[in-house]
Amino acid sequence: MASKSFSEEDFSCPVCYEIFKDPLLLFCSHSVCKVCLQKFWESKGSRECPVCRRTSSKGELPVNLALKNLCESFSVETIQRSSEGSEVLCSQHDEKLKLFCLEDQQLVCLVCRDSAKHRNHRFQPVDEAAEEFKENLKMKLKPLQETLKIFKDVKLTWNQTAEKIQIQTQHTERRIKEEFQKLHQFLRDEEAARIAALREEEEQKSQMMKEKMEKMSREISSLSDTIRAIEKEMEAEDVSFLQNYRTTITRTQCRLEHPERLSGALIHVEKHLENLKFTVWEKMLEIIHYTPVTLNPITAHPQLVLSEDLTSVRFSYEIQKLPDNPERFDNIWSVLGSEGFNSGTHCWDVDVVGNTFWRLGVMAESVERKGTDYSRSGIWYMGYYDGKYYAGSTPKPAALFSVNKKVQKIRVTLDWDGGKLTFSDAVNNTHLHTLTHTFTERVFPYFNTGCKLSPLRILPVKVRVSVEMR
């Protein structure tokens, strides 16, 4: 198609004045967009042509395929011509747009500049105006680019967090299965032991009954033989009977012990079933350890390695790849307990044997966990470094204090209501230091270590079973 011989008007709908879309051919030979024709008919209430007003008979109208194809080709060529960078001309004067009006913020040609519309306006050459506006746009674009980078970084962090969630789930599921496997094995072993004890009692008592029954069988057999012999003598002739009477009568004097009543012969069912669940649970305490404080892994600095049971922490030079979640310390080697306290008295023991750099205490929930600002307030602690013991609360400097002998186990006692945090030697129950403060918010057990050689280990406490009469 020679597109230069056609204008946009040649392909425009008489109703919407846009390029035809799905043109329908009327019986009067005029064409109208399908949608435009439907709307026109609905508004008029009759099926007349929008151009000549002739009425079309009822029935479906055909699509003007030739016109439709021409319109599509014209639209494609128009887009191609525009994309080839053809020079834009002034719509009023058909001149090149060489200037930019600063007052009206629009492109103008030289004729527009001299017109009354732009009298006393300031102008800039197109290239200068474009350069200036590009610089301005660049400045406006910079915050958007920075925001985009932040969003991308956050998305990357979230992706890492999503991956970590999967890893945590798999690891935790494995640990749960391992712990339940130990419990299952304990129950299986206990079941086997109890059944074995039952079988052993059964065997002992069955053997006893067997021996008694064999003895009884022998006595029955002997007594039966005696009875038969006496009965036989009684059937003999009188002379023979009387001749043997004295011998026969002695046989009747046979005295057998009367069968004893068997006491304790039955299985002691009560011994095997009495409070079965309770006694098994009580014995289970031998393999169960209760730790009053466990560590919260989502708070641990990336250079701290926690044990699988979350009861010990050690320092490592290797930095783990962990999500930088808000709860995590990122610049001080610390980790918090999993449960916070805002009332009552709480106590936990920590094994510090071999550890040359540690801090123990409590930290307020509101304390910032990011950065290296050691002036932050809300940490109450006792520590050990370079052979010296010290205690204090941030942001105040710590105070040194002396102990008689090196401490191996530290007992931390928090009296939240009384406002006291006490440290003592858990081995001999010797008081070491007490910090006082009026607590107003939830606090968490606080652990800090920079020693790779030996971990800080929270010690389990003995669990006791007590029975109450109701």
Side-chain angles (χ1 to χ4, degrees), residues 234-387:
M234 290 173 64
E235 293 174 357
E237 293 292 336
D238 294 343
V239 174
S240 177
F241 169 73
L242 291 173
Q243 287 178 337
N244 297 321
Y245 176 74
R246 296 182 68 179
T247 303
T248 304
I249 200 66
T250 58
R251 289 185 176 182
T252 63
Q253 296 174 357
C254 174
R255 293 290 183 266
L256 295 177
E257 293 182 5
H258 197 279
E260 63 182 357
R261 297 180 66 182
L262 297 178
S263 176
L266 296 177
I267 296 293
H268 289 298
V269 175
E270 78 288 351
K271 183 178 70 175
H272 300 286
L273 296 181
E274 184 179 17
N275 294 317
L276 179 60
K277 294 185 181 68
F278 177 81
T279 53
V280 171
W281 173 73
E282 189 177 26
K283 189 174 181 181
M284 190 181 292
L285 295 178
E286 298 174 6
I287 67 166
I288 293 176
H289 301 288
Y290 172 74
T291 308
V293 170
T294 55
L295 303 173
N296 187 348
I298 68 172
T299 66
H301 184 277
Q303 285 182 268
L304 295 184
V305 180
L306 308 187
S307 61
E308 287 197 334
D309 62 359
L310 306 177
T311 61
S312 71
V313 54
R314 65 176 177 84
F315 175 78
S316 172
Y317 292 116
E318 181 181 353
I319 301 177
Q320 305 171 83
K321 293 182 179 179
L322 299 172
D324 188 23
N325 47 292
E327 302 89 349
R328 191 180 305 281
F329 291 96
D330 64 352
N331 271 300
I332 55 176
W333 301 321
S334 301
V335 60
L336 298 180
S338 58
E339 182 181 357
F341 310 114
N342 59 2
S343 64
T345 300
H346 309 274
C347 178
W348 57 95
D349 294 348
V350 183
D351 187 341
V352 295
V353 175
N355 194 300
T356 57
F357 178 19
W358 53 263
R359 281 187 181 185
L360 302 173
V362 296
M363 189 185 89
E365 186 173 23
S366 61
V367 174
E368 176 59 46
R369 302 176 193 179
K370 304 297 183 184
T372 55
D373 181 12
Y374 290 98
S375 65
R376 70 189 88 186
S377 61
I379 303 177
W380 298 267
Y381 61 89
M382 171 186 169
Y384 176 79
Y385 178 65
D386 197 22

Side-chain angles (χ1 to χ4, degrees), residues 2-177:
S3 60
K4 291 184 180 179
S5 60
F6 295 95
S7 66
E8 187 171 337
E9 294 180 359
D10 296 319
F11 301 102
S12 297
C13 169
V15 176
C16 65
Y17 303 107
E18 300 289 340
I19 301 298
F20 281 109
K21 293 180 181 178
D22 297 324
L24 297 179
L25 183 62
L26 299 168
F27 292 104
C28 57
S29 298
H30 290 118
S31 294
V32 183
C33 291
K34 181 178 181 180
V35 174
C36 295
L37 185 60
Q38 290 174 346
K39 290 182 178 180
F40 183 80
W41 283 355
E42 289 174 1
S43 63
K44 290 292 184 180
S46 61
R47 295 170 59 90
E48 61 182 39
C49 172
V51 180
C52 64
R53 304 302 179 182
R54 284 184 60 184
T55 301
S56 298
S57 60
K58 292 184 178 181
E60 291 188 6
L61 299 175
V63 177
N64 192 338
L65 292 176
L67 180 58
K68 181 180 179 181
N69 293 334
L70 285 172
C71 290
E72 290 176 354
S73 299
F74 179 77
S75 297
V76 170
E77 290 192 7
T78 301
I79 294 172
Q80 289 177 344
R81 287 199 304 273
S82 299
S83 63
E84 289 172 357
S86 56
E87 198 168 47
V88 181
L89 301 178
C90 177
S91 59
Q92 291 183 338
H93 307 108
D94 207 28
E95 295 285 336
K96 291 182 179 180
L97 299 171
K98 294 184 175 182
L99 299 173
F100 186 78
C101 178
L102 298 177
E103 274 73 12
D104 294 332
Q105 295 284 295
Q106 65 180 37
L107 290 164
V108 297
C109 67
L110 295 177
V111 179
C112 290
R113 178 194 62 183
D114 299 331
S115 66
K117 181 181 177 181
H118 295 281
R119 184 173 298 162
N120 298 324
H121 287 185
R122 294 178 301 118
F123 301 91
Q124 269 188 316
V126 168
D127 55 348
E128 290 183 10
E131 183 66 25
E132 183 177 321
F133 286 153
K134 284 179 182 179
E135 286 298 321
N136 182 54
L137 196 58
K138 188 183 296 183
M139 295 299 294
K140 300 287 186 183
L141 189 61
K142 190 174 181 180
L144 296 178
Q145 292 171 332
E146 292 173 351
T147 302
L148 177 61
K149 184 179 183 304
I150 292 172
F151 273 62
K152 287 183 176 180
D153 291 343
V154 170
K155 183 182 178 183
L156 178 61
T157 301
W158 287 358
N159 285 336
Q160 293 173 344
T161 301
E163 293 175 1
K164 182 63 177 177
I165 289 171
Q166 298 299 318
I167 295 172
Q168 283 182 310
T169 301
Q170 294 170 3
H171 173 76
T172 306
E173 181 179 346
R174 177 178 62 81
R175 288 289 298 141
I176 290 172
K177 288 182 177 179

